[in-house]
Amino acid sequence: MADAAPVPRGPWRPVAPRAHRSNALHPGAWWLWALGLATAASRTTNPLLIGLLIGVAGYVVAARRTSAPWARSYGAFVKLALVVIGIRLVFAIVLGSPIPGTHLVVTLPEVPLPDWARGVRIGGRVTAEGVVFALYDGVRLAGLLICVGAANALASPARLLKSLPGALYEAGVAVVVAMTFAPNLIADVQRLRSARRLRGRPDRGVRGLLQVGLPVLEGALERSVALAAAMDARGFGRTAAVPARVRRTTAVLTLGGLMGVCAGTYGLLTADGTAYGLPVLGIGVAAALGGLWLGGRRSVRTRYRPDRWGWRAWLVAGSGAAVAALMIAANSGDAGALHPGVVPLVAPELPLLPAAAVLIGLLPAFVAPVPPPAEVPAHERRRPRPPRTPHTSRTSHTSHTSRTSRTEENPS
């Protein structure tokens, strides 16, 4: 097959095959990689490390993103991250910060509040320490959002739904529909704005927003009706009969396992719960997997050409897990470099070992299959123009024709 031909070898880039249906990377590997980067971002407030994590995620998205509509949502997540940073700074300036500081930036008019609102402040002193603390906190949350956006841009929601266990199929459909809402909405808005610009109509302002919003809402309703009809035609929601004892055991294992996963994850994300976080997470994952395996007996769904978890998927998922594990280990060793202080106010420094650990996240940009080039839609393809005849040839042909006609009229 022509699609399976390897990419030409470059001076610094290893060989990676062209992506096609048989060797496409498992979508779960992209999510595990992104969750590993998000875990690493949650373990530090150093803006240099978080900026490096964002750069790693952006490079992998730029190198391995396809031209599908859901792959365009990465830019929306980046804009949302910038909005989150701005909102966090506004809250720190207007509502104050719990961090005391001596470097006064500005003093805002303070609104007097009653006694029952003691502890809440609107306006007043704004210090540089409080603003920097809010900036660090906002950048960390922005890093989490961008990592989740990278997973949305790289993993196909439809293929991710096919890979879910049978017990989670109904919930997975709801999640996938919710995940594809934003990319489809962005694609519809871009398409309608382009159509209005081609017709010479305004696409900005309140009037343009209203005239674009109504067709977008109509398209969303049409997709919802079509999706409901397709799900009904495929027998969505059918279950097989299983004994009551199996149903109760499944519910206990699943709920208990999910609670254990939440408690273990919370322990890993906090500084005081590292000791119990990993064992509780392991027990929760084992119980949840047992519950999902039993719950899959109720599902009558069959899979056509399921995605395989190959060695490239192991490398991609392992790179994200390695970044998270090394960042957690770095917190126990040199926590001061990962959490720069604001009182007293000091400039953050880039620790070399955690930075090298973050660079492991670049591995998917070199081992994951290369997506095929974007195809140009048929209505946008330009027809080849016929070669234009030079002006001199048309002139000589005209003069030759006129001389011939005069010769025929006056043969003498």
Side-chain angles (χ1 to χ4, degrees):
M1 294 177 62
D3 292 338
V7 179
R9 186 187 297 270
W12 55 274
R13 181 170 159 183
V15 173
R18 287 285 185 186
H20 52 85
R21 187 61 185 83
S22 61
N23 72 341
L25 198 68
H26 198 284
W30 286 123
W31 271 101
L32 291 177
W33 167 80
L35 291 178
L37 296 187
T39 303
S42 67
R43 302 295 294 181
T44 178
T45 57
N46 192 324
L48 300 180
L49 283 176
I50 297 177
L52 187 60
L53 281 167
I54 293 174
V56 167
Y59 182 83
V60 175
V61 169
R64 292 299 182 264
R65 180 172 57 176
T66 63
S67 58
W70 44 264
R72 305 173 188 172
S73 61
Y74 182 73
F77 277 91
V78 174
K79 295 177 182 178
L80 179 61
L82 296 176
V83 171
V84 166
I85 295 176
I87 293 175
R88 184 66 180 89
L89 290 175
V90 169
F91 280 1
I93 293 173
V94 176
L95 302 179
S97 176
I99 302 298
T102 58
H103 297 80
L104 183 63
V105 177
V106 67
T107 302
L108 299 177
E110 188 170 355
V111 178
L113 298 176
D115 294 337
W116 55 266
R118 186 173 300 173
V120 179
R121 179 173 61 86
I122 300 178
R125 299 174 70 251
V126 179
T127 61
E129 289 83 356
V131 173
V132 171
F133 176 79
L135 179 62
Y136 289 173
D137 198 18
V139 168
R140 178 168 59 176
L141 184 56
L144 294 175
L145 289 174
I146 290 176
C147 291
V148 174
N152 276 277
L154 293 170
S156 172
R159 290 177 50 219
L160 183 63
L161 176 63
K162 292 175 59 177
S163 304
L164 287 177
L168 297 178
Y169 180 68
E170 285 80 5
V173 169
V175 173
V176 168
V177 170
M179 287 170 55
T180 55
F181 172 76
N184 289 329
L185 184 66
I186 294 172
D188 286 348
V189 170
Q190 292 177 350
R191 176 176 55 83
L192 291 171
R193 291 183 64 184
S194 300
R196 289 184 63 84
R197 284 195 297 267
L198 290 175
R199 293 181 177 91
R201 297 177 182 177
D203 60 337
R204 299 182 182 275
V206 178
R207 182 179 178 183
L209 180 62
L210 292 176
Q211 294 183 355
V212 169
L214 292 178
V216 168
L217 179 61
E218 182 182 358
L221 292 176
E222 290 179 355
R223 281 196 303 269
S224 301
V225 173
L227 177 62
M231 292 168 63
D232 184 65
R234 289 171 173 81
F236 180 78
R238 293 180 302 170
T239 56
V242 295
R245 176 174 54 84
V246 176
R247 291 200 302 269
R248 289 192 293 267
T249 306
T250 302
V252 170
L253 288 177
T254 304
L255 293 178
L258 293 179
M259 292 177 62
V261 169
C262 293
T265 304
Y266 176 78
L268 291 178
L269 295 178
T270 57
D272 300 332
T274 307
Y276 70 86
L278 191 59
V280 173
L281 180 62
I283 295 173
V285 168
L289 290 178
L292 293 178
W293 178 74
L294 288 176
R297 298 173 60 180
R298 299 184 60 189
S299 176
V300 294
R301 181 175 62 99
T302 58
R303 291 186 183 137
Y304 175 68
R305 298 176 68 180
D307 291 318
R308 297 180 180 179
W309 190 282
W311 63 272
R312 296 183 185 274
W314 282 112
L315 288 178
V316 171
S319 63
V323 173
L326 292 175
M327 191 66 70
I328 293 173
N331 267 275
S332 60
D334 188 10
L338 300 182
H339 302 277
V342 294
V343 180
L345 193 60
V346 295
E349 298 180 356
L350 182 63
L352 296 181
L353 292 180
V358 171
L359 294 179
I360 299 176
L362 289 173
L363 186 62
F366 305 101
V367 300
V370 182
E375 295 183 357
V376 180
H379 66 277
E380 295 182 1
R381 296 174 184 167
R382 294 183 177 180
R383 296 180 179 178
R385 297 181 178 180
R388 297 181 60 182
T389 306
H391 181 70
T392 55
S393 61
R394 290 201 305 267
T395 305
S396 61
H397 177 73
T398 305
S399 61
H400 175 72
T401 305
S402 60
R403 287 197 302 269
T404 305
S405 60
R406 288 197 301 270
T407 304
E408 291 176 354
E409 291 176 359
N410 301 320
S412 59

